[in-house]
Amino acid sequence: MNQDTTSSNTSLHISLPTVLRRYVEERVVKGGYSNPSDYMRELIRRDQRRQAREELERLLLEGLESGEAEQLTETYFGELRREVEAVIARKRAQTV
């Protein structure tokens, strides 16, 4: 997950009930954030990391449930390479 700190910032205004605004202000002070925006950015980054972990877990489970494992040998990779090269050759022939 990249944190793009080189791009310009934009604003997003949100409305919070008083109790949530007080909570955010408390977290800013206690958490060492410089302002509520820093706190919100950290929450969003944490959510992004959580989402990425969930997606990775989903993909790993999908892989585990996809059937018997196939041993990856030099022969396997050689055949795979030939198949890929054939696909590339067909694509190149289509663009000529």
Side-chain angles (χ1 to χ4, degrees), residues 1-67:
M1 215 146 334
N2 285 339
Q3 294 178 11
D4 187 6
T5 57
T6 60
S7 66
S8 62
N9 290 330
T10 61
S11 294
L12 173 69
H13 300 278
I14 60 170
S15 298
L16 297 174
T18 303
V19 66
L20 289 181
R21 182 181 176 123
R22 285 190 194 129
Y23 178 80
V24 168
E25 290 167 349
E26 261 181 50
R27 295 304 305 140
V28 167
V29 172
K30 290 181 180 178
Y33 300 98
S34 59
N35 55 49
S37 291
D38 284 346
Y39 175 65
M40 296 305 294
R41 281 190 288 271
E42 178 62 25
L43 290 178
I44 292 167
R45 287 183 191 112
R46 286 181 189 175
D47 185 56
Q48 287 175 322
R49 288 190 297 268
R50 183 183 58 78
Q51 289 287 332
R53 281 192 306 271
E54 287 178 6
E55 177 66 5
L56 176 60
E57 185 175 308
R58 185 191 67 73
L59 291 170
L60 289 170
L61 288 172
E62 183 181 302
L64 287 171
E65 295 168 354
S66 68

Side-chain angles (χ1 to χ4, degrees), residues 84-94:
V84 169
E85 288 170 350
V87 169
I88 292 170
R90 283 194 302 274
K91 296 276 186 189
R92 283 185 180 156
Q94 291 174 354

